[in-house]
Amino acid sequence: MLQAAPRKFTVSQITTLIKQSLEADFYDITIEGEISNFRPSSTGHLYFTLKDEQAVISAVMFKNRVFGLGFKPADGQKVSVWGNLSVYAKRGAYQIIVERMEKSGEGDILALLEERKRRLAAEGLFEESRKRPLPLLPERVAVVTSPTGAALRDILNVTARRNAGINIVVLPCPVQGEEAGAKIARQIERANSYSLGDVIIVGRGGGSLEDLLPFSEELVVRAIAASRIPVISAVGHEIDTSLSDLAADVRAPTPSAAAEIVSASRADLLARVRDVETTMGREIERRIERVRLLLREFTPVQLERNFRILIQPVLLRLDDAKEELLRALRDRVRDARHRTELAAQNLKAGSPLEVLKRGYAVVTDEESGGVLRDAEETESGKGIRVRLHRGGLGATVKEVTE
Amino acid sequence: MKGFEERLARLEELNDKISEGNIPLDEAVGLFEEGIKLAKSLEKDLSKVERRVELLVNQPETPQEEPNLELFPDLSENDQHE
């Protein structure tokens, strides 16, 4: 029987083999444990140990992964880490290189919140159409938060710095723990039933996911959605989202931001009022000025001038008419004279004397003096008179012919 | 006095009316006077600086109960550190 080759290695050889074996087998693994000996390095990497009752394992989380971490790790925290096992040959040590870490149970909580969010969204509690506008100038703000917390201090600081003159009513409540949700919800209802403000800020300072949980409780979400008074949610830091944020009319990233929102509009409003005041004043001045100009028209001199301006065209027309009349008259006279001359000429042409001139004669009865036009008007032996162009004849009719 | 928003809306309405120009001057002057009064009252509201911070110290449950408000120490005035 062939004896197995002696398993003899150099340190480097065995370490390389261990490294290959471990790193291949323990790739992309999850480990649950408690953080201990937590040592963040000055370069930003996190060194710590994960332990349970019987064992420990070294862990490192490099700076580029730390960035996405949603919480501050500390000794004693139970966490889940995802990563790869790595052997550090120079020290003969192995450790887990942590790619991702979350607090234990966080995944369960997130799943629960996600389910609750879907359910409440389906009821329409987060609808955009439910959101009410905030009052332009709140006189009193109801703040539902811990009376000793950082959130209240921030809110009071900001409103004081802003000189906003806003009255504040603090409705105290715990902001974390079992009881908190019900108490927060109750204070929101109280603010409504006793009209303790014209806007409500509900919130707290930053904290762990668990710390912020009361603000995602169904009771609180429903109280916010049912609030008659507009609600600003101000839970934790910028990155934290609670279901309160979704139900609130306005989501402020932090309590300080909520305070800014309720005091911010003041300068804008003042500018708006002053603006209206100025345009209104200018408009009235303009109108008065217009009336003044109008009145100026009524001085005697101005009136006379206006009258003259008014009468000018009439005078012109009168002048024109006069001219026209004279001309027409002159034309008529000339015309009449012309016609008269013409008539006189015609008359002359038709005169009996003119006829006599041409050799005709007029015969009249001697007795009656009537002009004879018919031979039967006289008889033989009767005396007649004959008028010639020049002179006349007395004669007796010798015979009458038919 | 009416709420701030209502008064601001009225002021803007007055301004529109005056600017429309089809109302008689004496009426416009009347509106202007009302407007100036409104503007002054709005400015006064906006320049208010005193404030009161109160704490609800009881937990009223029925409409008959009155909320009991007590002056609350203004945390912003003393520089607190946690």
Side-chain angles (χ1 to χ4, degrees):
Chain A
M1 197 177 157
L2 193 74
Q3 205 191 326
R7 293 164 67 87
K8 190 176 165 196
F9 308 97
T10 65
V11 173
S12 293
Q13 283 168 339
I14 189 68
T15 303
T16 305
L17 282 175
I18 290 172
K19 188 178 170 69
Q20 282 168 352
S21 164
L22 283 184
E23 289 185 359
D25 285 352
F26 299 99
Y27 181 79
D28 197 14
I29 51 167
T30 307
I31 304 175
E32 294 214 20
E34 188 185 312
I35 296 177
S36 70
N37 199 15
F38 179 69
R39 317 181 293 285
S41 83
S42 58
T43 48
H45 310 312
L46 305 179
Y47 297 99
F48 55 98
T49 308
L50 283 178
K51 66 169 191 183
D52 61 14
E53 286 74 21
Q54 280 96 40
V56 297
I57 182 171
S58 297
V60 59
M61 191 171 195
F62 291 117
K63 188 179 166 184
N64 58 341
R65 297 290 183 265
V66 173
F67 190 68
L69 207 55
F71 66 100
K72 256 201 157 99
D75 283 352
Q77 268 175 355
K78 292 220 167 50
V79 293
S80 296
V81 302
W82 283 258
N84 311 309
L85 211 62
S86 155
V87 170
Y88 188 37
K90 278 188 177 161
R91 271 200 207 140
Y94 61 91
Q95 58 189 349
I96 171 119
I97 311 282
V98 179
E99 295 289 324
R100 198 151 63 79
M101 171 161 64
E102 70 180 28
K103 294 167 90 173
S104 278
E106 204 158 86
D108 297 344
I109 294 173
L110 289 174
L112 188 82
L113 287 182
E114 195 50 42
E115 182 276 328
R116 190 181 295 161
K117 177 177 161 184
R118 261 201 307 275
R119 191 159 43 80
L120 296 177
E123 274 187 48
L125 292 189
F126 307 146
E127 290 289 318
E128 221 30 61
S129 58
R130 292 181 63 106
K131 313 258 181 236
R132 291 144 303 177
L134 298 181
L136 272 183
L137 188 74
E139 295 210 346
R140 187 156 71 156
V141 178
V143 180
V144 177
T145 192
S146 158
T148 56
L152 180 59
R153 201 188 56 227
D154 290 349
I155 289 169
L156 293 182
N157 271 331
V158 170
T159 48
R161 181 160 46 76
R162 284 290 204 152
N163 264 345
I166 298 173
N167 296 323
I168 289 172
V169 178
V170 181
L171 289 88
C173 60
V175 291
Q176 62 195 67
E178 285 288 303
E179 305 258 276
K183 293 199 165 155
I184 294 166
R186 193 70 196 94
Q187 292 294 45
I188 293 169
E189 286 159 15
R190 273 197 195 101
N192 275 281
S193 43
Y194 301 103
S195 294
L196 294 178
D198 12 67
V199 59
I200 300 175
I201 298 177
V202 180
R204 56 156 291 151
S208 68
L209 182 65
E210 286 100 325
D211 289 346
L212 305 184
L213 271 184
F215 291 89
S216 290
E217 268 180 42
E218 189 165 336
L219 265 173
V220 176
V221 173
R222 289 194 185 281
I224 290 174
S227 177
R228 168 179 53 81
I229 304 169
V231 176
I232 303 176
S233 73
V235 182
H237 298 302
E238 187 99 40
I239 51 159
D240 302 320
T241 311
S242 66
L243 298 188
S244 289
D245 291 332
L246 302 177
D249 298 292
V250 170
R251 184 214 165 192
T254 62
S256 298
E260 294 281 355
I261 290 169
V262 294
S263 34
S265 48
R266 212 157 265 259
D268 296 345
L269 286 173
L270 196 60
R272 194 159 139 197
V273 170
R274 295 248 160 93
D275 190 49
V276 174
E277 215 176 349
T278 321
T279 53
M280 209 168 58
R282 214 179 289 141
E283 182 61 27
I284 280 290
E285 264 170 39
R286 217 167 53 84
R287 297 221 17 201
I288 289 174
E289 188 55 28
R290 221 157 44 203
V291 170
R292 194 173 291 137
L293 284 175
L294 208 68
L295 285 178
R296 201 180 293 163
E297 305 271 298
F298 288 100
T299 60
V301 175
Q302 191 62 32
L303 271 180
E304 199 192 318
R305 226 186 59 178
N306 283 350
F307 180 70
R308 239 181 285 141
I309 289 170
L310 207 72
I311 207 151
Q312 195 66 24
V314 180
L315 285 176
L316 269 173
R317 270 177 64 196
L318 184 62
D319 261 8
D320 284 355
K322 221 154 70 184
E323 280 299 312
E324 183 64 25
L325 193 65
L326 275 173
R327 219 189 46 195
L329 208 60
R330 265 200 305 272
D331 286 356
R332 289 286 294 275
V333 170
R334 201 170 47 223
D335 194 42
R337 189 179 297 139
H338 184 69
R339 277 171 58 197
T340 311
E341 276 167 14
L342 212 65
Q345 263 168 29
N346 283 348
L347 205 61
K348 241 162 128 185
S351 150
L353 295 179
E354 287 296 311
V355 177
L356 296 183
K357 224 178 190 171
R358 282 182 268 152
Y360 295 91
V362 179
V363 180
T364 52
D365 188 82
E366 195 167 41
E367 274 168 50
S368 65
V371 175
L372 298 178
R373 291 176 183 83
D374 191 331
E376 288 198 344
E377 283 175 31
T378 192
E379 51 197 67
S380 297
K382 269 214 157 169
I384 52 171
R385 293 207 67 86
V386 179
R387 166 109 202 228
L388 302 174
H389 176 239
R390 204 173 289 133
L393 305 173
T396 307
V397 177
K398 269 166 56 186
E399 74 171 304
V400 174
T401 52
E402 292 295 315
Chain B
M1 201 187 286
K2 284 179 186 164
F4 184 88
E5 276 172 83
E6 244 177 300
R7 277 178 289 146
L8 181 58
R10 172 68 179 156
L11 175 64
E12 283 169 337
E13 183 194 334
L14 290 174
N15 183 33
D16 288 348
K17 276 191 181 162
I18 291 170
S19 302
E20 267 168 29
N22 50 12
I23 50 162
L25 181 65
D26 57 346
E27 211 174 302
V29 170
L31 296 180
F32 175 68
E33 280 167 0
E34 185 189 341
I36 289 297
K37 265 186 217 142
L38 269 178
K40 292 299 169 210
S41 85
L42 291 168
E43 280 179 27
K44 203 176 141 208
D45 281 11
L46 285 168
S47 56
K48 189 182 119 194
V49 287
E50 330 84 69
R51 64 161 177 184
R52 201 167 56 204
V53 179
E54 291 169 309
L55 179 73
L56 180 67
V57 291
N58 65 342
Q59 308 205 325
E61 295 293 344
T62 64
Q64 288 76 37
E65 269 179 276
E66 286 286 311
N68 188 359
L69 297 173
E70 279 181 8
L71 276 185
F72 185 70
D74 198 329
L75 297 178
S76 66
E77 282 162 11
N78 30 343
D79 214 3
Q80 288 199 357
H81 292 285
E82 275 186 347

